[in-house]
Structure formats: C-alpha cells, structure tokens
Amino acid sequence: MRDVLAVLAPGQGAQKPGMLTDWLELPGAESFFRWAGAIADADLLALGTTGDAEAIKDTAVTQPLVVAMSLFVARELGGLPGPVAHTPHTGRDVVITGHSVGELTAAALAGVLSVEAAIALTAVRGRAMAAACAQTPTGMSAVLGGDPDEVAAVLDEHGLTPANMNGGGQVVAAGPLDGLAALKADPPAKARVMPLSVAGAFHTEYMSSARAELEGLVGGLRPAEPSRLLLSNADGAAVTAGSEVLSRLVSQVTSPVRFDACLATLRQLGVTAVLELPPAGALAGLAKREWKGADIELLAVGSPADLDRARQLIEAERGRPEPDHLPDWRVVVSPARGTVSPADITEGTHLPAGTPLGCIRSRREEVNVSAGYDGVLAEWLVHDGDLVDAGDPIARLYPEVQS
C-alpha cells in the first residue's frame, strides 16, 4: 500500500503573539504579508510581529492572519505534490483538511480557490463573524474528557451547542455566557472545562448573519474542481466538486466542526505522515491523542527549522514509484459513537468517492458516513441497529482498478 501524507491547516485559536517574526527571515516573506494584508484590508505584518494576544484575537483580523501564514509556508515548501486522480490505484497520496477557517487554506491548497480569493474570502468571513459576535454576548469553552453522552446532556441542559467535536476527547461548547459559566462551575464527571479566548459562539446559529453575508458573496467566485483529495469539516467526507466546497465553506459558519470525523477518515485512508502548517501544534496534538499508539509521523511546522523535514515528507511522496501491488481492501470506520443505519447498497456495488454509506445516530446527533475514495463494496461489517464506537469498522471496500 502506498503511504499517504495528510496536510492539516489550522484555524482560529492557533495564533500566537509574534508568530510571523521568525518567518520574516525568509526571502519574500515581508512582501507576501504586506500583499496579503492589502487584500485583507488589515496590517497583517504588524499584527503577526508586534500585536499582543488581545490584538490578534480579534476575529476580523485573526482569520486572515492565520490563513495567510499557512499559505505562505505552503508556498515556501514549494507547494505540495502535483494534481493526482482521486482513486487509490493512481496513488491518492495527499489528503488535505483544515479546521474551521483553515478550510479556506485547504481549499486553496487543493486548487479550488486562488490564494488571493482565499485570503479575501477569509477577511470577509472574519469581519462578518466579528459583527455577528457583537450582536449577542456569547463565547466558547473546551470540554476535555468525560463520557460523551454525559457531556452532551450537560451542554443541552445549559443551552449550549457542541460547536467543535475535535477528537482526542475534546468537545468545544458554545453559547450564552451564563450557560458557559454554569458549565465551568459544575462540569461533567471526569471532565475539565477551559474557557477559550474567542469573541463569540462560532459554528452556531449565533453566526447566522455572517452566513447570510457569505451566501451573498460566493456566487461571484468561480471555483475549480479539487485537484487533490479534500476532506470536509461537516462530516469528514471527501468533496469532489468546487461548487460543493464553496457551499460547505458557507454552511460551516453555523454548523459544527467535525474534526473528529476528519481524523477518522484520515486513519481509514491509511495516513502514515501528517504535516501541520503553521501556526501549528493544536491539530497535531489532537491527532496524537486520537491515534494514540499508531505508527504515524506527526510534524507540526513551528519554525523555519522544521522546513527541511517537511520537504523530506513531501519529496518522499512526490518521488515514490508505482507500487508493485494494490491494497487488497480498505476499511470504512465509524466517525462517532452511536447506532448504525447502513445505506441500502448491495455488496459488489461500485461506489464513487463521496457515496453516502449510512449514518450513525446518538442521543445528541446524527453523523453521515461516506466512502472516502472510489471502490467496490466488498462486505458490510455491521447490521442495522448495531452499536458502534468511533473507529469501529463498518464496511470493507476493494479499491477500484481501471484498465
């Protein structure tokens, strides 16, 4: 089986004071951030070098700052391996996913949006979400550990929404400040609650005005089809149409981030190495906890000193010869805990990437499961109504081989 390199693009919350300083030593860095700042209508260079923690937590500027930094370093790495077909036999060796606003970075890396369009759309998104935050006092808190069903019940009791399900035992609650205060005062059993330094309840209905603003804007864009495998925060499924990528970028403003589902899909795809673009660390940490014990290299690119190893990972993928044999099969796993309802698909059926395979239902949510790649359904491993945990096998797929 071929190795698979995953590229992760961080979102808001990953920023740190002075995060651009070390990178300005690289040729072209200063001019890139001045140019990106002109597109975003914000002084990204000053914010990323002398801005304090309070200045860079402003949603209106933080989002374009984070996206511009990730895109600059991706450019510094020489881009990523060139366009590949979305079928295992041709070596779908690179898979890209971003967390929240990092999905705009991912869309650019997958060729759906230009760098300029990604930064401009991020800037509009950030300003619109900042305006939405100003309408009602809301916030977010990370809930670490605890029984998932009990955590869900406590959030519901306090009128809170699980806005981010990040994997690694982390759920981010969002909603009114009094509800977050009550959660902090009386957390679920065996769980810790950590308030987050954000301006409001992202990825909830409190952001509906921002979503409406983006909906009125994206019709002017002409997205390309993804040239690399791109996973969506909505459900961890591959997105194969540029128009669908844009649609999901808009809807994710008011929808939960399912990074746990993305991690499940990455594991299912056989990822052997992970490269997190800066400002890096948070997503690699989630992956490390979720994949505890797995033989997967995790590289959080934190400084220019990490570039050589990052290039080695990319070159190892780019220069790999065709394999002598194909994988016999791959397993589709559950992205969540709950009761499984398989789709009515007969074994032996050809499944294009993205084909719905059913859903997982729990007391708090319903999560869709899709095929992450082209293949043939070899065998269902569950029956309707079976209880599954996240990571449990659901079905086996043979890779589709074209003559």
Side-chain angles (χ1 to χ4, degrees):
M1 182 185 295
R2 284 192 167 202
D3 293 339
V4 179
L5 172 65
V7 178
L8 309 182
Q12 187 171 348
Q15 72 276 2
K16 306 175 186 68
M19 66 188 195
L20 296 187
T21 302
D22 291 344
W23 298 97
L24 295 181
E25 301 172 6
L26 300 177
E30 184 172 339
S31 58
F32 177 91
F33 288 108
R34 290 191 188 282
W35 168 71
I39 295 170
D41 193 24
D43 192 345
L44 300 184
L45 189 63
L47 286 163
T49 52
T50 61
D52 59 18
E54 187 66 23
I56 63 172
K57 86 168 188 178
D58 179 0
T59 302
V61 298
T62 302
Q63 294 188 14
L65 178 61
V66 168
V67 168
M69 184 177 189
S70 296
L71 290 173
F72 169 75
V73 175
R75 189 186 76 166
E76 185 65 22
L77 288 170
L80 299 168
V84 294
H86 298 293
T87 52
H89 73 281
T90 50
R92 187 195 49 214
D93 296 311
V94 179
V95 55
I96 303 170
T97 191
H99 187 283
S100 188
V101 74
E103 287 206 304
L104 281 112
T105 305
L109 298 181
V112 176
L113 297 173
S114 67
V115 170
E116 294 86 350
I119 293 173
L121 189 57
T122 303
V124 173
R125 180 187 191 273
R127 290 191 293 267
M129 291 178 71
C133 291
Q135 295 175 15
T136 307
T138 57
M140 304 177 82
S141 293
V143 182
L144 310 174
D147 177 79
D149 288 335
E150 183 176 347
V151 170
V154 171
L155 297 191
D156 186 61
E157 177 185 340
H158 295 306
L160 302 173
T161 300
N164 296 358
M165 284 163 274
N166 287 329
Q170 183 186 112
V171 174
V172 175
L177 297 179
D178 57 352
L180 293 170
L183 175 67
K184 175 69 173 174
D186 187 20
K190 299 181 180 179
R192 291 188 298 117
V193 176
M194 182 171 62
L196 301 180
S197 182
V198 296
F202 304 148
H203 301 290
T204 70
E205 287 303 313
Y206 289 98
M207 296 294 107
S208 58
S209 62
R211 174 173 175 166
E213 185 167 342
L214 289 177
E215 283 176 336
L217 180 70
V218 296
L221 297 175
R222 293 294 178 265
E225 303 304 306
S227 61
R228 303 180 180 107
L229 193 66
L230 180 63
L231 303 186
S232 168
N233 278 177
D235 52 12
V239 187
T240 58
S243 58
E244 178 67 12
V245 173
L246 278 187
S247 175
R248 288 179 177 232
L249 286 173
V250 171
S251 63
Q252 61 124 263
V253 172
T254 55
S255 301
V257 170
R258 293 303 310 268
F259 198 69
D260 58 341
C262 292
L263 290 175
T265 301
L266 292 176
R267 187 70 182 271
Q268 167 194 326
L269 293 172
V271 163
T272 51
V274 170
L275 188 161
E276 183 186 359
L277 295 168
L283 301 185
L286 290 172
K288 183 177 181 179
R289 289 191 293 274
E290 185 74 2
W291 301 335
K292 188 175 182 180
D295 185 21
I296 299 173
E297 179 174 355
L298 299 167
L299 176 62
V301 181
S303 75
D306 296 318
L307 290 177
D308 285 345
R309 181 54 187 156
R311 291 190 182 102
Q312 289 172 1
L313 291 178
I314 293 172
E315 283 301 321
E317 188 288 324
R318 180 183 282 127
R320 190 183 301 108
E322 287 294 322
D324 294 330
H325 63 277
L326 297 169
D328 294 327
W329 48 266
R330 288 181 175 175
V331 175
V332 179
V333 300
S334 172
R337 182 184 184 187
T339 302
V340 63
S341 294
D344 186 17
I345 300 175
T346 305
E347 293 174 356
T349 302
H350 165 73
L351 304 176
T355 300
L357 294 178
C359 66
I360 311 298
R361 295 186 177 90
S362 67
R363 289 194 305 172
R364 69 180 188 276
E365 62 181 340
E366 181 175 305
V367 183
N368 294 321
V369 181
S370 302
Y373 46 87
D374 289 353
V376 174
L377 178 61
E379 180 186 11
W380 284 111
L381 301 175
V382 292
H383 298 285
D384 188 38
D386 283 353
L387 294 174
V388 293
D389 282 318
D392 283 354
I394 295 174
R396 287 196 300 127
L397 268 66
Y398 287 115
E400 180 78 335
V401 181
Q402 297 176 355
S403 58

